[in-house]
Amino acid sequence: MPKSNEKEEEDLIVADEIDRISKLPEELLCRILAHLQTKEAVATSILSKRWEHLWTTTRNLDFSDQLQFCKDYESELRMFRDYVDNVIFRHGGSKIEKCRLSCYSHYASAHLYAWICAIMCSSVQEFNLQSFRLDSIVTDLPWSVLICKTLVVLKIKGRFVLNLPSGFFLPNLKALHLESVIYVDDTCVEMLFLGCPCLEELDIKRNDWDGVQNLSISLPLLKRLSICFSGFYVCGGDRHEAKINTPKLEYLKLWDGTSKYYFVDTSPSLIEAHVVCKCDNEILQGLQNVRLLALSGDTMSSLCDFIRDHDLPKFKHLSRLELGTDANIDWSLLPRLLENASNLEVLVFPEGLVVPKNHREFHRFYWLSPESVPDCLFFQLKIVRIQHFVGAPGEVHLVKFLLESSKVLERMTIHCHDFGRKGRKMKCGFEVAQKLKSNAHRGSETCEVEIIG
């Protein structure tokens, strides 16, 4: 057979193979487009007549004008505006499942209102809006977002003023994330939650200029709650407060250095809690049913003051405890915590046992073993993990106490601190840990000690 004929046959085979995807059912092609980035899906319109409008059926849209490093910035922004206009308005109101709209520039933000209104008319289920304005100008959140009955997930990041319309109601909303949003007043926040009766997940990142003095969260179906409040508490100044009433909560994260008071009313369903704030009796009582509890160094420091005048609640269901550290912590609080966690199985020190002053020195503590050993060490504790071990005397005595007193311990893992080049002349924590592994008495015959340098 002549070579030219062989080449023609090969070309026909290749062309046939390339064109196979176009012969697939339209429903399957739409599913393929759904897995592409929005720009990639739109680009398929040039493939053939059949593909020209097929991208408009995609139900996931993603727009972002992160063009800070472009040489022709203004031209790129105009192209971005035309691109979003083309995609949204040629979409023709077809149903949208997910949409992310990120605007970093003032130029693009000026078109947000029209874009958002068009998106809300497409029965969108998940909407993620991000706007970062370097000039700090605030703008009202379009009401079209606040009256969209189809929304299931709503995420808003930016200095949008939340001014609720009369009769505000989002009956299907299950997840709400708000970051750097500005509220009209305390009542506005209460009305927001009243209008979201099916909410199961709430993530709020606040600032002290957000217009809220007393945050009140009362949601009967909420399962996950995360509050992060960036600000500074000024003695004698305004006192921020927070009240939480969530009878079905399963996960709680509090990261708050500003609020003076927290009133927590949760339920036995609470499984996991992460606390990075001043801890008082109100918070502790609301956490006593958790199975996993993580306390930051600041929280531990406040607990050291708290236990001087108060008793700790019993954490009967607690099986995992993670403890941060602070320069003021001498770990005298540890026995009290262990005594009140009779079913504890895992104990973790993710920040280590000492706090560095600089690359050479650490805040030291002196460990005094308690007169009586907590019950959990006799019957329950199985795993201990310590990060950033430096080999200080206080650390050594505390580790020895845990090894000797834990009768059913299965594994202790010690991650040694990396001093780098500047700390080469210091006595290596790894060497100290190795000696502990070799010489320290173990209360559990099956306990394994792992040292990680």
Side-chain angles (χ1 to χ4, degrees), residues 254 275-279 284 294-304 329 333:
L254 299 179
V275 182
V276 186
C277 66
K278 182 177 180 180
C279 217
L284 290 173
L295 304 176
S296 72
D298 290 337
T299 304
M300 290 289 290
S301 184
S302 70
L303 277 180
C304 289
I329 294 175
L333 172 62

Side-chain angles (χ1 to χ4, degrees), residues 7 15 49 65 102 111 136 147 161 292 299 342 369 397 419 440:
K7 184 68 168 57
K49 281 285 185 180
D65 70 341
S102 298
H111 301 271
S136 298
I147 60 174
V161 178
L292 187 157
T299 304
S342 57
S369 297
H397 291 303
F419 289 100

Side-chain angles (χ1 to χ4, degrees), residues 100-321:
R100 184 175 75 96
L101 181 57
S102 298
C103 291
Y104 291 76
S105 67
H106 174 77
Y107 183 87
S109 296
H111 301 271
L112 273 179
Y113 189 88
W115 291 340
I116 291 173
C117 290
I119 292 168
M120 292 303 115
C121 290
S122 299
S123 302
V124 63
Q125 295 178 22
E126 182 174 333
F127 184 51
N128 187 341
L129 173 63
Q130 301 178 25
S131 180
F132 305 92
R133 303 280 291 276
L134 298 179
D135 52 14
S136 298
I137 295 176
V138 299
T139 183
D140 283 353
L141 184 69
W143 277 10
S144 57
V145 177
L146 302 171
I147 60 174
C148 183
K149 308 294 185 184
T150 58
L151 278 173
V152 177
V153 177
L154 177 60
K155 300 179 181 180
I156 301 172
K157 181 178 182 178
R159 292 196 174 195
F160 294 98
V161 178
L162 196 65
N163 189 3
L164 299 180
S166 177
F168 164 75
F169 188 57
L170 297 179
N172 295 306
L173 194 67
K174 291 188 176 182
L176 176 62
H177 294 208
L178 302 172
E179 181 174 352
S180 301
V181 171
I182 299 173
Y183 309 89
V184 176
D185 52 26
D186 295 356
T187 303
C188 171
V189 180
E190 293 182 25
M191 296 302 295
L192 171 66
F193 298 142
L194 283 174
C196 305
C198 296
L199 205 61
E200 296 180 358
E201 177 181 325
L202 176 61
D203 189 323
I204 301 180
K205 292 181 175 64
R206 299 181 55 198
N207 297 90
D208 51 12
W209 39 256
D210 66 1
V212 178
Q213 190 67 32
N214 299 317
L215 177 67
S216 180
I217 300 174
S218 182
L219 292 163
L221 300 181
L222 196 69
K223 295 180 180 179
R224 295 180 63 87
L225 172 61
S226 178
I227 301 175
C228 180
F229 194 172
S230 301
F232 300 94
Y233 172 69
V234 180
C235 185
D238 293 336
R239 293 186 173 186
H240 293 272
E241 295 183 4
K243 297 180 180 179
I244 300 173
N245 179 17
T246 49
K248 291 192 176 182
L249 198 66
E250 297 175 359
Y251 173 92
L252 174 65
K253 180 179 180 180
L254 299 179
W255 188 300
D256 190 340
T258 303
S259 296
K260 182 64 176 177
Y261 297 110
Y262 260 94
F263 302 92
V264 181
D265 183 10
T266 58
S267 73
S269 62
L270 187 62
I271 296 173
E272 182 174 344
H274 299 255
V275 182
V276 186
C277 66
K278 182 177 180 180
C279 217
D280 56 25
N281 193 55
E282 292 291 341
I283 292 180
L284 290 173
Q285 292 297 329
L287 303 179
Q288 59 184 329
N289 290 308
V290 296
R291 298 177 189 173
L292 187 157
L293 179 61
L295 304 176
S296 72
D298 290 337
T299 304
M300 290 289 290
S301 184
S302 70
L303 277 180
C304 289
D305 297 328
F306 174 82
I307 62 172
R308 292 171 186 167
D309 303 312
H310 303 84
D311 292 327
L312 289 173
K314 298 290 185 181
F315 299 98
K316 296 180 180 180
H317 305 290
L318 188 63
S319 62
R320 182 184 178 96
L321 180 61

Side-chain angles (χ1 to χ4, degrees), residues 433-451:
Q434 288 287 11
K435 287 182 179 180
L436 271 173
K437 178 179 180 179
S438 301
N439 303 327
H441 172 70
R442 304 180 193 181
S444 170
E445 294 180 358
T446 60
C447 175
E448 294 182 5
V449 178
E450 181 183 12
I451 311 298

Side-chain angles (χ1 to χ4, degrees), residues 63-65 76-84 102 108 115:
F63 308 105
S64 176
D65 70 341
E76 289 289 341
L77 282 174
R78 283 194 294 271
M79 291 175 61
F80 174 75
R81 178 203 63 188
D82 295 341
Y83 162 66
V84 178
S102 298
W115 291 340

